[in-house]
Amino acid sequence: MISARYKKVAAAVFSDMFKWSLWFFSILFTIHLVRVFWLNGSTNQIEGFFIFAQYSVNIFMLVVGIMAAYVFMSRHIQQGISRRDSYIGTALAATGLALFATLVPLIVNGLQHLLAETISLPVELDTASAFETTGGWVAAAIALFLNALTFFLAGWLISIGYYRFGWIAGFAFIALSFVVFGLNDYLWKPASNVVGWMTYHPLEVDFWLTALGSSTMILVLFSLMRLLTKRVPIKM
Amino acid sequence: MAASVQLDHVTLKFKKFEALKDVSLTLEAGKIHGLIGRNGAGKTSLLSLIAAFRVPTSGKVLVDGSPVFENPEKMEQVAFVYDKDYKEETEKAKKLIALASHYRPHFDMDYAEHLIKRFKLPIDKSVNKLSKGMQSALNVVIGLASRAPITIFDEAYLGMDAPAREIFYKEILKDQEEHPRTFILSTHLVSEMDYLFDRVVIIDQGQLVLNEPFETLEARGASVTGAASDVDAFTADMKQLNAQQLGGTKSVMIYGELDELKRQEAHTMGLEIGPVALQDLFIHLTEEAS
């Protein structure tokens, strides 16, 4: 029988993560407004919210991921939830959060785009070029979603590494997360060539191949997390 | 709702250290079990296996006949309350109570509110700002109100003052009457809590010493009270566990059953025979085992 308890987990975990993300986006949006109205550096044009938020969204997801094992997992097991249900629920919640963290910048950016046509802002907002270079807003949104999820998984990996294996081995998991970041950059930012140890083949192939590669890496990371949490002893 | 627990040749190793050595025991459904043992005896290790916090190195841990580890139906039936480190817990007490009610199928919020009032628990405070006693009260509220068929309290009273502990004990007995479940109470406060126990489980150095009904355990010894000289004469060839003297009156705890003849002899000597204190028995049995 398939247990439906993971739904309870997903609901509770998402609710917590959602609250954190509201804080995060409020702060981020305030900074963006300050940048638009006051710290615009007298340039003619600055980036719209979608581009502005990308980097921070990834870092936010990384931090939430780092908290996952310590905040959620032991709480679940203590409340009589199996590791499997805790894992599936947390994975679903994280996917939901990545989706939400993609939609917010997208919607705000869209609103800015409409707003820029009706009122005059101190600087011109570039709310479009992000989408032109990547092949439309759908592609840009998919890219942000996959990146956000990858950063969450990297954080989750670090957190389970520390939780399960302690400080020294934990560093190995940080190293592993750098490999993840490197591969992610290799996929999404071919020009930056971050992975020095890998023969560089510019991936100027089409977007969908990159998205496929990124999705594969996400699946591998999800599977790895399941393996690492499957029989994990709970700290007391 | 109550469930039974069975350990079948369970061994738990941490690297080379054996925390539990081939332990087999059954905990009956619907009974209050007192789990006692010296520091490092393996009590918490044993409980963490029942709560599926970890998997045994070998052997089986069963709840109502099915392995508990990663078994959602069985794990849900076990609530493990222990002295949790709340230094980093910034959530409010009421959030943790709400979480328990979200996950625990038998959680009773009315009962939780009753307990919150009994313990005067400030639920709007962050958990890490609560006093140690209040953190323990929070754990107890969650553990009792969850009404899990197997409820484990591992030294759940730490930091509680005597009146709060008294509330805790009374609430266990009261709720056990109305909603019987299997309790496991691990404790060092043996003399304070022994009246709660239906059964007593003693472990020492990772091994089971005994698992018996409280009454049969009590019959393993006796207390003999009366005039000091008479008591000394009567107990001279008996195994003495403990002796206390106040003026000319002496009370000696002895180990070993007293037959009817001996009881009559005591009666004619004007000596009073009472039950042996579990605390003394425990000290004796764990010393003997070492």
Side-chain angles (χ1 to χ4, degrees):
Chain A
M1 199 181 86
I2 292 180
S3 148
R5 292 163 185 85
Y6 70 86
K7 289 182 192 158
K8 279 188 175 183
V9 174
V13 172
F14 183 77
S15 142
D16 273 352
M17 290 175 170
F18 180 73
K19 279 178 213 152
W20 298 339
S21 77
L22 290 185
W23 276 104
F24 163 71
F25 278 119
S26 312
I27 294 165
L28 194 66
F29 190 65
T30 310
I31 296 170
H32 184 62
L33 287 182
V34 169
R35 177 153 160 72
V36 170
F37 287 98
W38 292 283
L39 295 175
N40 48 37
S42 319
T43 46
N44 306 327
Q45 202 186 41
I46 62 169
E47 71 279 4
F49 192 67
F50 188 81
I51 294 286
F52 176 78
Q54 269 183 346
Y55 184 71
S56 309
V57 163
N58 287 342
I59 298 303
F60 169 71
M61 293 298 288
L62 176 74
V63 172
V64 175
I66 288 174
M67 293 168 81
Y70 284 89
V71 177
F72 300 116
M73 190 181 65
S74 47
R75 189 185 274 175
H76 296 148
I77 313 307
Q78 210 205 336
Q79 291 302 341
I81 299 293
S82 69
R83 288 158 186 75
R84 184 177 179 275
D85 287 325
S86 170
Y87 163 78
I88 297 175
T90 307
L92 283 176
T95 310
L97 183 70
L99 200 63
F100 180 70
T102 304
L103 288 178
V104 171
L106 200 64
I107 290 167
V108 172
N109 197 83
L111 291 175
Q112 281 180 331
H113 187 71
L114 293 176
L115 214 63
E117 287 175 2
T118 49
I119 62 163
S120 92
L121 292 167
V123 283
E124 195 183 323
L125 279 176
D126 173 16
T127 52
S129 75
F131 306 133
E132 283 155 15
T133 52
T134 47
W137 66 271
V138 175
I142 291 173
L144 179 56
F145 170 76
L146 292 175
N147 269 281
L149 201 52
T150 305
F151 272 72
F152 175 87
L153 279 159
W156 202 11
L157 198 64
I158 293 172
S159 119
I160 196 67
Y162 272 90
Y163 186 92
R164 192 167 176 175
F165 303 105
W167 282 99
I168 310 232
F171 282 114
F173 280 80
I174 291 189
L176 190 59
S177 75
F178 279 117
V179 174
V180 172
F181 297 142
L183 286 170
N184 196 54
D185 278 353
Y186 178 80
L187 286 164
W188 292 107
K189 298 177 199 161
S192 67
N193 192 16
V194 174
V195 190
W197 42 266
M198 201 180 252
T199 348
Y200 177 58
H201 299 292
L203 260 180
E204 282 165 4
V205 275
D206 70 313
F207 168 81
W208 295 107
L209 197 61
T210 305
L212 184 70
S214 181
S215 306
T216 309
M217 185 163 79
I218 285 168
L219 283 179
V220 169
L221 288 172
F222 268 129
S223 314
L224 185 60
M225 279 310 299
R226 173 65 182 139
L227 282 178
L228 288 166
T229 53
K230 209 171 173 179
R231 291 165 83 82
V232 58
I234 301 305
K235 280 181 197 285
M236 291 186 56
Chain B
M1 280 278 277
S4 68
V5 177
Q6 208 183 340
L7 269 74
D8 187 13
H9 296 289
V10 167
T11 296
L12 179 65
K13 282 185 194 167
F14 296 101
K15 291 186 180 140
K16 281 188 179 163
F17 173 69
E18 266 191 321
L20 295 172
K21 299 166 191 161
D22 195 34
V23 174
S24 295
L25 75 99
T26 301
L27 302 179
E28 284 177 35
K31 295 271 195 284
I32 302 181
H33 298 82
L35 173 64
I36 52 186
R38 305 186 60 183
N39 291 324
K43 300 187 293 292
T44 300
S45 296
L46 180 92
L47 299 174
S48 68
L49 292 178
I50 298 172
F53 272 36
R54 50 176 69 249
V55 65
T57 312
S58 65
K60 284 185 214 146
V61 182
L62 311 169
V63 167
D64 274 346
S66 305
V68 68
F69 191 79
E70 281 303 89
N71 181 338
E73 281 77 32
K74 299 301 171 200
M75 282 181 72
E76 187 175 79
Q77 297 190 23
V78 186
F80 183 18
V81 175
Y82 56 97
D83 175 34
K84 203 173 178 188
D85 181 1
Y86 280 132
K87 273 203 301 284
E88 311 290 335
E89 187 56 78
T90 50
E91 297 282 10
K92 288 177 178 165
K94 66 177 174 192
K95 165 83 188 273
L96 294 199
I97 294 169
L99 268 174
S101 89
H102 176 72
Y103 288 121
R104 291 290 180 186
H106 309 295
F107 195 93
D108 184 338
M109 198 43 110
D110 292 337
Y111 183 41
E113 274 158 17
H114 160 78
L115 292 168
I116 289 163
K117 280 195 200 117
R118 288 276 274 157
F119 286 109
K120 299 190 174 69
L121 180 64
I123 52 168
D124 286 312
K125 256 189 169 179
S126 304
V127 176
N128 59 356
K129 299 216 172 91
L130 293 175
S131 69
K132 182 78 195 145
M134 279 302 167
Q135 290 177 346
S136 291
L138 169 67
N139 287 339
V140 164
V141 169
I142 291 172
L144 283 174
S146 292
R147 291 233 170 93
I150 297 167
T151 301
I152 304 171
F153 286 114
D154 186 8
E155 308 224 24
Y157 48 72
L158 288 179
M160 279 187 180
D161 55 17
R165 293 202 300 273
E166 197 56 36
I167 295 171
F168 173 37
Y169 306 150
K170 281 190 177 147
E171 287 295 338
I172 289 177
L173 289 179
K174 196 169 142 235
D175 206 54
Q176 184 68 350
E177 262 178 37
E178 292 158 19
H179 304 275
R181 49 180 141 167
T182 310
F183 274 109
I184 309 171
L185 311 175
S186 162
T187 181
H188 282 129
L189 303 179
V190 180
S191 51
E192 189 176 298
M193 290 176 75
D194 56 5
Y195 72 102
L196 299 170
F197 306 153
D198 297 319
R199 295 185 65 94
V200 176
V201 179
I202 298 181
I203 60 169
D204 193 54
Q205 296 177 44
Q207 285 173 315
L208 182 70
V209 177
L210 62 86
N211 173 16
E212 280 184 23
F214 189 51
E215 307 87 70
T216 60
L217 191 58
E218 270 189 325
R220 282 201 188 194
S223 68
V224 182
T225 312
S229 55
D230 292 341
V231 170
D232 284 339
F234 183 77
T235 58
D237 52 353
M238 293 177 188
K239 172 86 192 160
Q240 300 196 2
L241 301 182
N242 191 3
Q244 279 177 325
Q245 192 163 355
L246 191 67
T249 306
K250 194 171 184 182
S251 180
V252 172
M253 293 285 175
I254 56 131
Y255 184 67
E257 260 179 77
L258 284 182
D259 55 24
E260 203 44 47
L261 214 65
K262 270 285 181 195
R263 281 176 190 271
Q264 267 176 10
E265 189 191 329
H267 189 72
T268 49
M269 287 172 81
L271 299 175
E272 209 176 294
I273 304 290
V276 69
L278 180 60
Q279 169 104 335
D280 294 320
L281 211 53
F282 159 59
I283 294 170
H284 170 66
L285 289 170
T286 49
E287 266 173 5
E288 193 180 57
S290 354

